[in-house]
């Protein structure tokens, strides 16, 4: 599953997600959002806190079934799939996640953390670790492969997390504020990494960020407010 | 092997080892009490199995001489010898007495051999020889601490130890000393049975104490004649007859069933505690990993992967604990004052119980892990 650049990967059609709040009232976390992602593009998602950015990633990542609307992966209608187990299988094979915190498994070394994402898909441990070393090398962190997360800096951890997200060669890479915990130089590095993934691996990359300094890296940016996309802009051709 | 199970355990080695050690000690206890029961059973049946009697003729209305007291006339053997089909007839008497030997008060099961018909061939000598004189010779169990050739004073007379045997103890674990039947009677006459001493100490005076009588007459019958001989003797009316298997049942189902029930109860209790310890360990380590488990679900790990991690950890703790318990058992139990018999089938049963405990222990952790939602990572 490796479409060429510009091929549609994911489409959200009129997706709404409502939560029932603690007081019983409904929260419209996502309201009638329509969005398309194509292979090789890097999308920036901006907006104030609580506007629904994470919820949008959850819908795109098949972690939250829309209350209304559909999520389609290259033709597969996600919400008609056979429940949680099937969605998980789909995530394992085709989607990569990067979070604000690296969320590495503390008792695994860097290379094992990356290999884990292949092992859960049935790749033998030895082969998985070999491929994981390749990914770490590509992200310029191979020299730290034998360290546990506690022995890595925040930036190094985040690069390991990106390597893990790439382990299943995803068509869609979702990142929720991946640079929030990093200084601006390291943050910039991670953003450039993500852009490289979009370009070289032709994945569709969606990044939630508050950081205006990396605006120049996005092909497309959307701005959200109260669960809606209120503004969309395309980068001027460089 | 699950990719995470061992790596997690080795990263938390101390907790893992402590849990396994704790469970191991519990299992050692479990093996100990079942082994002790088997040992008691073995000791209780030892004489019955080895003395080579097909029938036991005992006091009428009694299931003696082991499960109940039995006294019969010392000449009963003559009557029994007259029965057609009775091939070998011996007198049997056994008294538990206390003697001072080497400055140490010791309990001895003095057992009579019907010399010269019985020189003690069945007791299994480990050193020395069988009894060759009608008077003054003894075969002693090693647990009594007597040396070959040593002379001990039992009552009025001296007895020379001519043979040694090993593991020949009675039901209560007292080492046996084999002497001839007349010697047995002399010893009992001179040294009142322990019960009498106890009664006297409590000011109860002497109870009926007739050491000139014997406990039972044992019969080896001609092949296939056992039932016939038993029927004839039983018809006399004044004595009771027990076959070897009845004698066995009387002890196992009569005298030892409470013990067995208790042992079973303790074994189940210990295995339950084992389950609780494993459950606590596994549950704690699962709770600590909830975030990682949510992350695993988010990146698409199947429930089976998470489940197998938890289950394998429980089983690993169980296996290590079982190894600890086996090693401790082999090292410790031979030092116990009473015989501990580890039967493969008991060990297998304990192993099955342990695996059940592991399954129960991991189940509670697994149940918690499966409730975790993937998106908790993003929250
Ligand atoms: N499980 C839930 N139950 C109820 N309300 C929820 C739940 N998850 C999110 N919400 C609400 O939905 C809205 C959107 O939340 P979301 O997490 O998508 O915001 P966000 O844009 O990611 O914010 P932030 O920038 O602070 O991360 C918020 O008002 C939030 O309170
Ligand atoms: Mg958010």
């Amino acid at each position: 599953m490796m479409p060429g650049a510009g091929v549609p990967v994911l489409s959200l059609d009129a997706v709404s997600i409502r939560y029932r709040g603690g007081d019983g009232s409904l929260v419209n976390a996502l309201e009638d959002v329509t969005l398309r992602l194509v292979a090789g593009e890097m999308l920036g998602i901006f907006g104030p806190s609580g506007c629904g950015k994470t919820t949008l990633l959850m819908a795109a990542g098949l972690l939250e079934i829309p209350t209304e609307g559909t999520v389609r992966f290259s033709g597969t209608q996600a919400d008609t799939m056979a429940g949680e187990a099937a969605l998980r299988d789909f995530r394992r094979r085709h989607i990569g996640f990067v979070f604000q915190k690296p969320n590495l498994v503390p008792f695994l070394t860097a290379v094992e953390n990356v290999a884990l994402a292949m092992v859960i898909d049935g790749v033998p441990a030895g082969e998985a670790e070999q491929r994981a070393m390749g990914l770490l090398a590509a992200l310029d962190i191979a020299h730290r492969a034998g360290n546990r997360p506690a022995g890595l800096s925040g930036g190094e951890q985040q690069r390991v997390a990106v390597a893990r997200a790439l382990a299943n060669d995803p068509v869609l890479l979702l990142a929720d504020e991946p640079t929030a915990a990093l200084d601006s130089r390291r943050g910039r590095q991670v953003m450039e990494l993500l852009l490289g993934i979009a370009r070289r691996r032709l994945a569709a990359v969606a990044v939630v960020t508050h950081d205006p300094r990396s605006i120049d890296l996005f092909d497309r940016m959307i701005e959200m407010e109260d669960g809606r996309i209120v503004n969309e802009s395309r980068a001027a051709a460089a | 092997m699950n990719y995470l199970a061992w790596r997690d355990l080795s990263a938390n080695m101390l907790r893992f080892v402590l849990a396994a050690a704790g469970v191991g000690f519990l299992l050692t206890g479990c093996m100990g009490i079942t082994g002790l029961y088997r040992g008691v059973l073995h000791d209780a049946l030892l004489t019955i199995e080895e003395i080579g009697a097909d029938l036991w003729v005992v006091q009428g209305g009694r299931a003696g001489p082991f499960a109940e007291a039995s006294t019969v006339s010392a000449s009963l053997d003559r009557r029994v010898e007259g029965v057609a089909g009775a091939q070998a007839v011996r007198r049997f008497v056994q008294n538990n007495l206390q003697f001072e030997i080497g400055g140490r008060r010791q309990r001895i099961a003095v057992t009579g051999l019907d010399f010269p018909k019985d020189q003690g061939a069945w007791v299994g000598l480990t050193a020395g020889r069988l009894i060759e004189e009608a008077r003054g010779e003894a075969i002693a169990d090693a647990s009594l601490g007597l040396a070959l050739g040593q002379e001990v004073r039992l009552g009025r007379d001296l007895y020379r130890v001519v043979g040694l045997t090993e593991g020949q103890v009675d039901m209560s674990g007292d080492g046996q000393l084999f002497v001839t039947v007349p010697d047995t009677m002399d010893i009992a006459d001179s040294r009142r049975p322990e019960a009498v001493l106890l009664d006297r100490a409590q000011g109860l005076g002497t109870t009926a104490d007739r050491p000139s009588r014997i406990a039972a007459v044992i019969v080896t019958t001609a092949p296939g004649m056992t039932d016939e001989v038993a029927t004839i003797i039983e018809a006399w009316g004044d004595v009771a007859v027990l076959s070897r298997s009845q004698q066995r049942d009387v002890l196992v189902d009569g005298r030892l069933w409470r013990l067995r029930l208790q042992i079973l109860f303790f074994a189940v209790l210990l295995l339950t505690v084992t389950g609780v310890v494993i459950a606590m360990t596994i549950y704690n380590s699962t709770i600590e990993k909830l975030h990682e488990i949510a992350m695993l679900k988010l990146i698409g790990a199947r429930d089976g992967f998470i489940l197998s991690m938890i289950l394998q950890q429980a089983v690993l703790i169980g296996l290590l604990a079982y190894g600890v318990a086996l090693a401790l058992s082999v090292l410790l139990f031979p030092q116990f004052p009473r015989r501990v018999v580890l039967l493969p089938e008991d060990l297998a049963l304990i192993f099955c119980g342990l695996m059940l405990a592991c399954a129960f222990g991991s189940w509670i952790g697994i149940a918690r892990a499966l409730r975790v939602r993937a998106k908790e990572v993003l929250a």
Side-chain angles (χ1 to χ4, degrees), chain B residues 13-306:
Chain B
M13 203 38 115
L14 184 67
R15 172 166 58 188
F16 173 49
V17 166
L18 283 179
V23 173
F25 295 147
L26 287 168
L27 288 176
T28 310
C30 210
M31 289 175 185
I33 51 167
T34 39
L36 202 59
Y37 170 72
R38 293 293 180 187
V40 168
L41 203 65
H42 179 276
D43 291 345
L45 296 178
L46 190 63
T47 304
I48 295 168
E49 301 292 358
E50 294 188 356
I51 203 165
D54 297 317
L55 294 174
W56 292 75
V57 184
V58 301
Q59 187 177 343
R62 296 281 181 98
F66 303 106
E68 289 184 87
S70 161
T71 48
V72 294
S73 148
S75 60
L76 178 65
D77 57 322
R78 307 263 162 71
R79 265 166 84 198
V80 177
E81 268 166 354
V83 178
Q87 239 171 20
V89 179
R90 283 176 279 161
R91 291 167 292 170
F92 179 84
V93 58
Q94 189 176 59
N95 296 309
N96 289 79
L97 304 163
Q98 290 199 28
F99 289 101
E100 195 114 5
I101 297 177
R104 198 157 58 93
R105 206 147 180 77
Q106 235 181 332
R107 289 176 55 89
I108 304 178
V110 180
T111 305
L113 297 175
D114 201 349
F115 187 84
K117 287 181 274 186
D118 186 354
Q119 292 181 277
W122 58 273
V123 307
L125 287 186
T126 53
R129 57 167 173 84
L130 301 179
I131 289 187
E132 285 169 4
E133 299 284 335
R135 287 291 185 155
E137 290 190 348
I139 298 174
D141 184 66
S143 65
L144 296 173
L146 299 172
L148 211 57
Q150 187 178 344
E151 296 206 317
V152 276
R153 178 170 293 282
L154 304 175
R156 282 183 294 272
D157 304 307
L158 280 175
Y159 294 84
R160 173 189 291 277
V161 178
V162 297
L164 288 178
T165 176
E166 224 166 88
Q168 283 287 358
V169 297
D170 78 340
M171 187 189 296
S172 46
D174 297 344
Q176 299 200 69
L177 185 88
F178 300 93
V179 294
T180 63
V181 171
D183 281 349
T184 314
M185 292 176 175
D186 278 358
I187 294 169
D189 271 339
S190 64
R191 301 281 316 170
R192 294 184 170 280
E194 189 188 10
V196 178
L197 287 177
L198 278 175
D199 285 352
R200 197 178 283 163
Q202 292 170 347
L204 297 176
T206 46
T207 49
D209 164 31
R210 289 170 297 178
S212 59
R213 295 168 68 87
I214 57 170
V217 167
I218 52 180
V219 190
T220 312
T221 63
M225 294 284 284
T226 308
D227 290 346
E228 261 173 70
V229 174
T231 315
I232 293 169
I233 298 175
E234 219 144 45
W236 296 345
D238 60 334
V239 291
V241 183
L242 286 95
S243 69
R244 187 197 296 222
S245 69
Q246 280 171 328
Q247 195 66 268
R248 220 182 269 143
D249 293 348
V250 161
L251 281 184
V252 175
D253 299 331
R255 225 182 135 160
L256 295 175
W257 74 268
R258 273 193 216 95
L259 185 63
R260 193 164 60 229
L261 210 66
Q262 241 154 315
I263 298 283
L264 189 74
F265 172 76
F266 280 124
V268 169
L269 189 74
L270 283 173
L271 283 174
T272 309
V273 178
T274 299
V276 171
V277 171
I278 294 177
M280 267 164 29
T281 311
I282 292 295
Y283 187 73
N284 274 340
S285 93
T286 304
I287 292 292
E288 270 174 30
K289 285 198 293 286
L290 282 184
H291 188 76
E292 281 72 38
I293 289 168
M295 200 278 302
L296 279 168
K297 289 183 175 186
L298 188 128
I299 66 172
R302 293 193 189 91
D303 282 344
F305 181 83
I306 295 160

Side-chain angles (χ1 to χ4, degrees), chain A residues 19 54 57-58 63-64 84 88-89 91-93 95 97-99 101 103-108 111-113 115-117 119-121 125 129 148 164 168 176, chain B residues 2-12 289 291-292 294-306 309 313 370 372-379:
Chain A
Y19 292 115
T54 297
L57 286 194
M58 283 194 198
L63 288 163
E64 196 71 74
E84 155 81 5
R88 231 190 265 179
D89 286 346
R91 284 203 299 274
R92 183 174 66 248
R93 303 214 178 97
I95 307 178
F97 292 90
V98 182
F99 320 99
K101 282 179 287 172
N103 285 317
L104 298 176
V105 179
F107 54 83
L108 296 185
V111 66
E112 287 168 341
N113 261 289
L116 175 64
V119 168
I120 58 169
D121 199 32
E129 283 171 16
R148 295 226 173 103
R164 179 179 62 193
N168 58 352
D176 197 355
Chain B
N2 183 280
Y3 194 69
L4 295 181
W6 175 248
R7 287 172 172 81
D8 179 26
L9 288 182
S10 57
N12 295 290
K289 285 198 293 286
H291 188 76
E292 281 72 38
M295 200 278 302
L296 279 168
K297 289 183 175 186
L298 188 128
I299 66 172
R302 293 193 189 91
D303 282 344
F305 181 83
I306 295 160
M309 166 182 72
Q313 290 184 334
L370 294 186
V372 179
R373 314 234 292 157
K375 45 182 195 183
E376 283 171 29
V377 184
L378 288 166

